[in-house]
Amino acid sequence: MKKKKFLVFEDLSTSGQWLYLYARSKEDIERRFPEFYLFDVPPKRFDAAKAQIIENNPDIFIFDIDNLHGLLKDYVENRQKDNYIYQNPDKKRPFVDEI
Amino acid sequence: MLKKRALGTRVMNGVLVDSGGSLPYEDVHPSNARFLRVLAKLFKIVEVLTTSGNAFDVQPMINHYTDSDGYKGIPAAGYVAAGTDGYAYFTPDIYGSGKKAKSRLALAVKPIGFFIFNMDAFTSGFEPPRKITPYNNEPGGGIEIRHRGNAYSTAYRWITVK
């Protein structure tokens, strides 16, 4: 199955980060990154300028979940286990789009 | 009294001085004059510290703690993205360890350091400082300054904590 590009938001606790993840399905992402926020339709907060920033910095903001590299690989291998929300997905805050 | 004026002199602290007519205010009310001089200096210091772009270039700085994703992502993006609740979080607090920062700032993840920002570089959006309440299974107790929406500014510098 060909992979598709998904827009996710990573909660950094004091701020956040938009990422593109390539995966076969939404479920693949939800299983591996339950702490991330996955969007079928880009929210209002994510505009064309932010999409351009991602495209301009693929090493930092674009990942294939089956072949992770860089920061996200490190995150999964070392830090995901220390993430309180990853350990307690029921504590995940709702995403507020209207600021 | 008349004799004193004719001579033009008076004795102060055991020393003969020239009065030069009416006595200076400091001579008549020395304690009051000293107090007013100190008060004037204090007002000057307050004015210097609170005026943006002042002679001493004193700027209000705030810190944004983050992990390695933010360390790479924030400079690349050029702004601090608002979190899930629509706010980007800053603090005037400085902590020497990520563990302490996580505890006092009630964070879900342990930060590896913090960016220092000049508050004057942001156009608007800050809310008044407030004490951090327990959250993310952490006690809190630090001070947070929330910025409504994405915070657009370039960091002054990065400080790594242990």
Side-chain angles (χ1 to χ4, degrees):
Chain A
M1 185 191 289
K2 191 182 176 187
K3 287 178 182 170
K4 292 192 292 185
K5 185 173 77 177
F6 293 93
L7 174 66
V8 302
F9 184 79
E10 180 186 9
D11 185 2
L12 300 180
S13 208
T14 53
S15 61
Q17 197 147 267
W18 298 101
L19 306 173
Y20 282 152
L21 297 185
Y22 280 89
R24 288 182 181 78
S25 66
K26 283 171 57 176
E27 290 72 26
D28 272 1
I29 294 174
E30 288 167 345
R31 188 172 56 252
R32 292 192 64 180
F33 300 99
E35 71 276 34
F36 285 7
Y37 296 75
L38 179 60
F39 297 92
D40 293 322
V41 178
K44 291 176 188 171
R45 281 167 59 177
F46 186 77
D47 55 22
K50 292 173 183 61
Q52 193 61 56
I53 289 170
I54 292 179
E55 300 285 356
N56 291 345
N57 299 276
D59 285 349
I60 300 173
F61 300 125
I62 302 177
F63 300 94
D64 179 338
I65 70 163
D66 294 323
N67 187 23
L68 292 175
H69 68 274
L71 289 170
L72 203 55
K73 184 181 181 191
D74 179 50
Y75 173 73
V76 169
E77 290 175 352
N78 300 304
R79 290 176 291 119
Q80 195 173 35
K81 64 180 183 300
D82 295 327
N83 187 315
Y84 179 73
I85 303 301
Y86 176 75
Q87 295 166 352
N88 302 274
D90 57 309
K91 304 286 187 186
K92 198 171 166 182
R93 292 187 291 194
F95 184 88
V96 178
D97 197 16
E98 297 287 347
I99 302 176
Chain B
M1 189 67 183
L2 284 172
K3 193 177 180 183
K4 264 190 173 180
R5 284 191 178 174
L7 289 172
T9 58
R10 69 189 288 260
V11 175
M12 275 188 71
N13 298 329
V15 178
L16 193 66
V17 295
D18 183 359
S19 70
S22 60
L23 291 171
Y25 181 78
E26 289 88 344
D27 289 352
V28 182
H29 306 287
S31 60
N32 286 356
R34 193 176 302 122
F35 172 75
L36 289 173
R37 279 199 300 274
V38 170
L39 196 62
K41 283 180 183 173
L42 281 174
F43 273 117
K44 188 66 183 171
I45 291 168
V46 170
E47 182 188 13
V48 164
L49 290 177
T50 56
T51 303
S52 176
N54 52 65
F56 296 141
D57 201 25
V58 175
Q59 305 287 346
M61 309 305 272
I62 46 171
N63 310 310
H64 177 78
Y65 286 80
T66 190
D67 65 2
S68 51
D69 292 352
Y71 168 67
K72 288 275 188 180
I74 290 169
Y79 67 99
V80 181
T84 51
D85 64 349
Y87 290 92
Y89 286 81
F90 298 83
T91 179
D93 300 350
I94 293 176
Y95 303 107
S97 76
K99 187 179 176 185
K100 185 78 173 175
K102 182 176 186 289
S103 169
R104 298 279 290 173
L105 302 176
L107 306 178
V109 293
K110 191 171 86 172
I112 64 163
F114 60 93
F115 288 107
I116 302 175
F117 286 90
N118 180 353
M119 273 184 97
D120 285 349
F122 297 93
T123 50
S124 64
F126 284 108
E127 304 213 341
R130 65 180 190 180
K131 190 176 178 184
I132 298 169
T133 53
Y135 195 62
N136 288 320
N137 206 32
E138 298 288 355
I143 299 293
E144 67 183 11
I145 299 175
R146 300 187 303 165
H147 183 278
R148 191 174 171 82
N150 301 319
Y152 292 89
S153 179
T154 304
Y156 171 67
R157 68 179 302 179
W158 166 262
I159 304 289
T160 301
V161 297
K162 62 180 190 255

